[in-house]
Amino acid sequence: MRTTVGIVGAGPAGLLLARLLHTAGIDSVVLESRDRAYVEQRQRAGILEQGTVDVLRAAGAGERMDREGLRHDGIELRFDGRRHRVDFPALTGGRSVTVYAQTEVCKDLIALQLKEGGPLLFGAEALAVEGAETDRPRVRFRYEGREDVLDCDYVVGCDGFWGVARQAVPAGLSRVFERTYPFGWLGVLADVPPSHDELVYARHERGFALLSMRSPDVSRLYLQVPQGTTAEEWEDEAIWDELERRLETHDDWRLRRGPITSKSVTPMRSHVHEPMRHGRLFLAGDAAHIVPPTGAKGLNLAVGDVVTFARALTHEKETGSAALLDAYSATCLRRVWQAERFSYDMTTLLHSDPGASPFDGRIQLARLERIAGTRAAEADLAEGYTGFPLD
């Protein structure tokens, strides 16, 4: 099998890249180890930055998002029982975010790829990326019980932290920067309308809590829990009781309760792999970087990576210049590190570190007071949350 761009992984990054290349007249093949149902049901991110929304629309994948997605013009910060709303459009020149689950983004992109794009092979397990240093890299993969080879001009690894693409970068060339946090998120989906019309980020002495949503009828909620906690340790009523404590306010706001349909625990860590390119192998999304979910940056960073690659390859096709491809890693990493910084700031601002002192707690409150009382600090949060430029 032969193609211009071999894409390993059919998450939102790989699927969007295939769509962007298709609209630019560049052929690709997408290899995905899981089946279609798994990809379309895998619960992940749900907040789309303004730039991500704009890219999906321009790629022809925004019709259902515009119809069913929930535009949010702000978030609410809670601390000491008080509520402070951050108004995104007023602070960013009109930018907002959209609540639209990753599962739905994948469904839309899969439908487009199968209808209009190149081959998308589910159940195709990538075994290795070979020859990245040559002008003819290839992906060995297993499909329908036999091994095959995908010969490419370029390979883009969108196969996550545990995928084969990152492993193809020689250890002697890799630099890894990471931080593991001593807590995780217990996340639940509940069949109950959200208790607030925008996301609520709560700092509480008992730990962080987040009120989010997937639709007007489905709530997505999170609790900070100690590292190593399992979802089975928490009974449903205990989850609601703890959410109520951490989200409490001094006014008459009340938390709506309902049936919990799923629960899981997400570890919290930051990870960056440099460089994001080795020869003709390019890393994108979780294959290159992971952020704690506090800043809602994971999916959006992946979008930035594949937009950067698609623009660079289109530029080479139109001009013959590989300058933008050569700059891929440096270009992406500038945005990645700003997103890492923002996610770290949000995480340390709102979570209770088990090793923290009373002094550290007062510093958190001082930081929150400054955001609530100073336009410049509030604007910095709003600009980071709604997204860094894709240029």
Side-chain angles (χ1 to χ4, degrees), residues 80-96:
D80 275 357
R82 291 180 287 159
R83 306 167 64 176
H84 176 77
R85 182 176 185 268
V86 180
D87 186 331
F88 292 156
L91 294 162
T92 64
R95 297 209 305 271
S96 63

Side-chain angles (χ1 to χ4, degrees), residues 49 88 92 95 97 295-297 338-339 341-343 346 378-388:
E49 295 174 353
F88 292 156
T92 64
R95 297 209 305 271
V97 298
K297 290 282 163 273
Q338 284 302 316
R341 186 271 309 169
F342 176 77
S343 299
M346 288 286 285
E378 189 179 27
D380 184 63
L381 187 154
E383 288 170 0
Y385 198 96
T386 55
F388 302 103

Side-chain angles (χ1 to χ4, degrees), residues 1-3 5-8 27-31 118-121 150:
M1 189 180 294
R2 181 82 175 84
T3 191
V5 181
I7 301 172
V8 185
D27 62 292
S28 69
V29 173
V30 184
L31 306 177
L120 166 54
L121 305 182
L150 177 62

Side-chain angles (χ1 to χ4, degrees), residues 191-205:
D191 285 339
V192 59
S195 302
H196 193 59
D197 55 2
E198 293 178 333
L199 273 70
V200 176
Y201 288 77
R203 184 265 182 197
H204 194 277
E205 290 181 357

Side-chain angles (χ1 to χ4, degrees), residues 86-148:
V86 180
D87 186 331
F88 292 156
L91 294 162
T92 64
R95 297 209 305 271
S96 63
V97 298
T98 296
V99 177
Y100 190 63
Q102 174 175 313
T103 50
E104 306 312 307
V105 173
C106 287
K107 289 174 186 176
D108 297 341
L109 290 169
I110 287 170
L112 282 171
Q113 184 71 7
L114 294 177
K115 180 181 179 182
E116 303 174 7
L120 166 54
L121 305 182
F122 291 105
E125 179 189 5
L127 303 174
V129 176
E130 301 172 338
E133 305 91 342
T134 73
D135 60 359
R136 286 292 184 271
R138 64 184 203 164
V139 183
R140 283 196 300 108
F141 66 99
R142 183 182 294 110
Y143 182 59
E144 295 182 339
R146 64 182 179 85
E147 284 197 19
D148 205 340

Side-chain angles (χ1 to χ4, degrees), residues 33 42 45 67 126 149 179 202 228 282 289 297 312 319:
S33 62
R42 179 172 45 193
R67 186 173 66 251
V149 173
R179 179 188 181 97
F282 297 77
H289 43 72
K297 290 282 163 273
T319 69

